[in-house]
Amino acid sequence: MSVQESADRYATSDPRADRPRVAIVTGGSRGIGRETVRRLAADRFAVLIGYAANRELAEAVVKDVAAGGGRAIAVRADAADEQQISALFTTAEAEFGGVDVVVQAAGRALLAPIAELDLAELDALHRTNIRGTFVVAQQAARRLRDGGAVVTFSSSVVGLAFPGYGAYSAGKGAVEALTLILARELRGRDITVNAVAPGPTATDLFFEGKDEQTIARLAAQPPLERLGTPADIAEVVAFLASPAGHWVNGQVIRANGGII
């Protein structure tokens, strides 16, 4: 049997080919999530934007998508609340006919030495970053159409082990474990599950609480000698959500400009 004959034997028809594709992006009103919405809309996805609090920001993204000829709606939902996330999926199904891609970009950051961290703040951080990712992933596993993709967000700090990032890195390590296990649990459905782990990226969340010296030091770390941009990360997400990226599965993609 030739290589081509072998490939043809195991090839399946693409269930995405004859229908409009639909994405849910949680945390889609700001930063990387917002840029991901715009990028997926440019790839002709209809997008449901999940946001936590700021309706004005979310609606501004909807208007941006509409101005470019795309379709988007915004729905308020706490990523860690299973009822609200279930309703988010129900809305996407009612408005757009189903869900093909889920991007869990909702998250929080908190920096403090382990010895000094208020445990109430730890609980709040992990509620969003761990429980939130689990809740969104659980709904995706139940309701995503075959042939789809799930993209979660980790962080390159999991491997870099920066002081002060103990609570945040612990949560993102949990996200990585969850992601790799879900990829294996969805065997047989042609659904990919991957995590994107950005390095220092120029978002409001990144700049919060940092002085100019710290920002400059972090920007100088990658061999490319700059901060990442939300657009850099959105391109990686768009690739994983596309047919071109569908052979990538169960991976953590460290999109950080080459920081080791």
Side-chain angles (χ1 to χ4, degrees), residues 53-77:
N54 195 319
R55 178 179 179 136
E56 185 176 344
L57 285 178
E59 291 295 343
V61 184
V62 171
K63 290 178 182 178
D64 283 349
V65 170
R71 299 172 66 199
I73 58 174
V75 175
R76 184 171 182 173

Side-chain angles (χ1 to χ4, degrees), residues 183-201:
R184 287 148 180 82
E185 290 182 347
L186 295 183
R187 173 184 290 274
R189 292 182 54 192
D190 192 33
I191 293 173
T192 63
V193 188
N194 295 286
V196 177
T201 304

Side-chain angles (χ1 to χ4, degrees), residues 9-32:
R9 176 182 176 186
Y10 292 102
T12 58
S13 60
D14 187 348
R16 303 161 294 185
D18 298 323
R19 69 185 184 218
R21 300 193 70 201
V22 179
I24 289 175
V25 181
T26 64
S29 65
R30 302 177 62 191
I32 293 170

Side-chain angles (χ1 to χ4, degrees), residues 52-129:
N54 195 319
R55 178 179 179 136
E56 185 176 344
L57 285 178
E59 291 295 343
V61 184
V62 171
K63 290 178 182 178
D64 283 349
V65 170
R71 299 172 66 199
I73 58 174
V75 175
R76 184 171 182 173
D78 175 357
D81 186 309
E82 62 270 33
Q83 301 298 329
Q84 293 183 29
I85 294 301
S86 178
L88 196 73
F89 276 77
T90 298
T91 300
E93 291 162 352
E95 293 288 331
F96 301 132
V99 182
D100 301 286
V101 170
V102 173
V103 181
Q104 159 55 5
R108 298 181 59 185
L110 173 65
L111 305 185
I114 292 168
E116 300 172 11
L117 182 65
D118 184 325
L119 294 182
E121 293 183 346
L122 175 71
D123 291 343
L125 179 75
H126 285 179
R127 183 180 186 278
T128 298
N129 293 358

Side-chain angles (χ1 to χ4, degrees), residues 34-234:
R34 177 175 58 201
E35 197 62 36
T36 296
V37 170
R38 292 170 175 162
R39 182 63 181 80
L40 292 178
D43 281 348
R44 304 180 69 179
F45 279 84
V47 186
L48 188 146
I49 302 163
Y51 70 96
N54 195 319
R55 178 179 179 136
E56 185 176 344
L57 285 178
E59 291 295 343
V61 184
V62 171
K63 290 178 182 178
D64 283 349
V65 170
R71 299 172 66 199
I73 58 174
V75 175
R76 184 171 182 173
D78 175 357
D81 186 309
E82 62 270 33
Q83 301 298 329
Q84 293 183 29
I85 294 301
S86 178
L88 196 73
F89 276 77
T90 298
T91 300
E93 291 162 352
E95 293 288 331
F96 301 132
V99 182
D100 301 286
V101 170
V102 173
V103 181
Q104 159 55 5
R108 298 181 59 185
L110 173 65
L111 305 185
I114 292 168
E116 300 172 11
L117 182 65
D118 184 325
L119 294 182
E121 293 183 346
L122 175 71
D123 291 343
L125 179 75
H126 285 179
R127 183 180 186 278
T128 298
N129 293 358
I130 300 178
R131 180 185 168 89
T133 300
F134 197 101
V135 167
V136 173
Q138 185 177 68
Q139 287 297 315
R142 293 172 177 174
R143 302 172 73 167
L144 204 63
R145 294 192 286 209
D146 290 357
V150 179
V151 180
T152 64
F153 272 90
S154 178
S155 171
S156 287
V157 299
V158 172
L160 296 172
F162 291 152
Y165 283 82
Y168 182 71
S169 294
K172 292 303 186 179
V175 168
E176 292 189 9
L178 166 66
T179 300
L180 302 190
I181 291 169
L182 184 60
R184 287 148 180 82
E185 290 182 347
L186 295 183
R187 173 184 290 274
R189 292 182 54 192
D190 192 33
I191 293 173
T192 63
V193 188
N194 295 286
V196 177
T201 304
T203 65
D204 292 341
L205 193 65
F206 168 78
F207 288 121
E208 187 176 334
K210 295 183 178 69
D211 59 31
E212 290 296 326
Q213 183 178 4
T214 299
I215 293 168
R217 175 175 56 79
L218 292 171
Q221 286 187 323
L224 298 181
E225 295 187 325
R226 66 171 176 85
L227 294 175
T229 68
D232 290 327
I233 309 306

